[in-house]
Amino acid sequence: DDEMYCTDCAFYCEHCDNSSTGDSYTVSGETWCESCYCDDARVCSCCGDAESDMYSDIEYVEYLGRDMCESCRDDRNIFWCEDCEMVTEWEDGYCTHCPPEEEEVVD
C-alpha cells in the first residue's frame, strides 16, 4: 500500500511475493500472509502443520472427517486401503473399515 512500516509491523509473504501487515503464517517453512494461507494452504487438524495445497501430503481422512499429514496418519496407523478405496485406520495388519476375510476351516 506504499506506506512505511517498521520490520516488526510488516513482513514479506513468500507465496504471493508481497509485503503485508497483520498475521503471518508458516507454510512449508515459508512465511505467508493470511490471504494466501486461507486460499492455498492445507492444515493438519492434529498437529497444526501447514503445507502448500499444491505440494501437500496432507490428506482428508473421510471416516474421521479431518485433514491429516503423513506423520499423524502414520502415528495412528492410517493408510490407503485397496479394498474399500479409502484412507482408513489399520489394526493388526487389517483395515478397520473392512472386515477381515474369514479363514476356511478344512476338516
Side-chain angles (χ1 to χ4, degrees), residues 61-73:
V61 180
E62 187 173 328
Y63 87 100
L64 292 175
R66 55 202 283 188
D67 286 328
M68 293 177 74
C69 68
E70 184 175 19
S71 177
C72 290
R73 289 192 314 270

Side-chain angles (χ1 to χ4, degrees), residues 18 77 88:
N18 288 312
N77 292 323
T88 62

Side-chain angles (χ1 to χ4, degrees), residues 44 47 49 51 56-59 61 67-79 87:
C44 176
C47 67
D49 282 353
E51 297 177 352
S56 179
D57 73 352
I58 296 173
E59 292 182 23
V61 180
D67 286 328
M68 293 177 74
C69 68
E70 184 175 19
S71 177
C72 290
R73 289 192 314 270
D74 288 348
D75 289 347
R76 294 195 46 189
N77 292 323
I78 296 174
F79 303 100
V87 179

Side-chain angles (χ1 to χ4, degrees), residues 5-99:
Y5 292 95
C6 65
T7 56
D8 292 337
C9 300
F11 62 93
Y12 180 76
C13 176
E14 296 175 81
H15 186 66
C16 66
D17 295 326
N18 288 312
S19 293
S20 186
T21 59
D23 293 332
S24 66
Y25 300 86
T26 302
V27 178
S28 302
E30 296 180 339
T31 302
W32 285 24
C33 65
E34 185 171 14
S35 177
C36 290
Y37 179 79
C38 291
D39 293 344
D40 298 328
R42 291 197 80 161
V43 181
C44 176
S45 63
C46 292
C47 67
D49 282 353
E51 297 177 352
S52 171
D53 199 20
M54 291 177 60
Y55 308 106
S56 179
D57 73 352
I58 296 173
E59 292 182 23
Y60 183 72
V61 180
E62 187 173 328
Y63 87 100
L64 292 175
R66 55 202 283 188
D67 286 328
M68 293 177 74
C69 68
E70 184 175 19
S71 177
C72 290
R73 289 192 314 270
D74 288 348
D75 289 347
R76 294 195 46 189
N77 292 323
I78 296 174
F79 303 100
W80 175 258
C81 176
E82 293 288 334
D83 294 331
C84 64
E85 297 184 346
M86 289 177 48
V87 179
T88 62
E89 198 164 13
W90 287 64
E91 188 174 293
D92 297 326
Y94 294 99
C95 168
T96 57
H97 190 264
C98 297

